[in-house]
Amino acid sequence: MAYHEAGHALVGALMPDYDPVQKVSIIPRGRAGGLTWFVPREDQMSSRSYLQNQMAVALGGRIAEEIVFGEEEVTTGASSDLQQVARVARQMVTRFGMSDRLGPIALGRSQGGMFLGRDIMAERDFSEETAATIDDEVRNLVEQAYRRAKVVLTENRSVLNALADMLIERETVDSEELQELLATSDVKMASVA
């Protein structure tokens, strides 16, 4: 759990123009084994680069587990992270017109309101070929976010280890402690998406 949360926090801290980390904790809360809090910047709009950063941050926990423990030892704790990443990528393609191949177009007519906690169901108004392109574009966005997060965590492995050790020792690390760790380490920022 310490590496999982350290992965989220470190990727977030090293993404260009992303919300600052407020606190990282491995104290369980509800169904979550730990949490990383970000302070949303007031001037931050949900731009394409912001959403790409958000996906990378969400993948950071799982990737940290892969790097440290191997793919066979990845925990189920990343399931909600993966759902969030898939949802953001699909919205980028179908609602926000952020697909290079499909262009600035919204796909799927929304119908009705919330029903049993599900997202608004969309009536499909596009072909099987377009559906396949959407799936492909979603996969590409997720893979790009995955690669960016993996590079950040691989290049900053010593900082990941140090942050995980701090979490194991203290259970919670605040923004000042994280900034001090980053300031005293040789960190490499993430590439721009």
Side-chain angles (χ1 to χ4, degrees):
M1 184 46 59
Y3 274 100
H4 185 99
E5 292 308 322
H8 285 311
L10 191 57
V11 173
L14 298 180
M15 282 290 141
D17 297 322
Y18 195 67
D19 300 333
V21 177
Q22 180 182 22
K23 185 168 63 169
V24 190
S25 175
I26 57 171
I27 299 170
R29 292 186 197 310
R31 296 199 331 232
L35 284 172
T36 301
W37 287 267
F38 291 89
V39 182
R41 293 182 13 216
E42 288 181 22
D43 64 336
Q44 187 68 60
M45 298 296 289
S46 291
S47 64
R48 181 178 175 141
S49 61
Y50 180 84
L51 294 171
Q52 288 172 314
N53 289 345
Q54 189 178 51
M55 289 189 294
V57 170
L59 290 166
R62 178 191 171 97
I63 294 169
E65 291 180 10
E66 285 178 15
I67 290 170
V68 175
F69 305 115
E71 286 189 32
E72 287 72 36
E73 299 299 319
V74 168
T75 68
T76 58
S79 66
S80 64
D81 298 332
L82 297 177
Q83 289 170 2
Q84 177 192 353
V85 170
R87 186 171 58 249
V88 169
R90 188 158 291 278
Q91 287 179 339
M92 287 176 73
V93 173
T94 62
R95 290 181 57 198
F96 306 143
M98 295 178 178
S99 161
D100 294 333
R101 284 169 60 194
L102 294 166
I105 186 169
L107 298 160
R109 292 186 291 267
S110 293
Q111 63 181 35
M114 296 298 278
F115 178 68
L116 297 178
R118 284 188 226 134
D119 286 337
I120 293 173
M121 302 208 313
E123 181 184 331
R124 208 169 99 179
D125 58 356
F126 46 83
S127 67
E128 285 296 324
E129 186 180 349
T130 300
T133 303
I134 290 169
D135 290 344
D136 199 37
E137 286 288 86
V138 167
R139 192 175 308 107
N140 289 340
L141 285 168
V142 173
E143 286 173 1
Q144 182 187 33
Y146 180 93
R147 283 192 301 271
R148 288 177 72 223
K150 188 159 190 174
V151 167
V152 168
L153 292 176
T154 302
E155 289 184 345
N156 295 285
R157 174 69 189 269
S158 62
V159 187
L160 176 67
N161 292 344
L163 180 53
D165 288 345
M166 288 168 70
L167 284 167
I168 290 166
E169 181 187 325
R170 304 175 197 172
E171 293 189 317
T172 300
V173 173
D174 64 26
S175 62
E176 289 79 14
E177 292 165 322
L178 176 59
Q179 287 307 315
E180 186 176 328
L181 171 64
L182 296 175
T184 56
S185 303
D186 181 23
V187 295
K188 294 180 179 68
M189 290 294 289
S191 62
V192 175

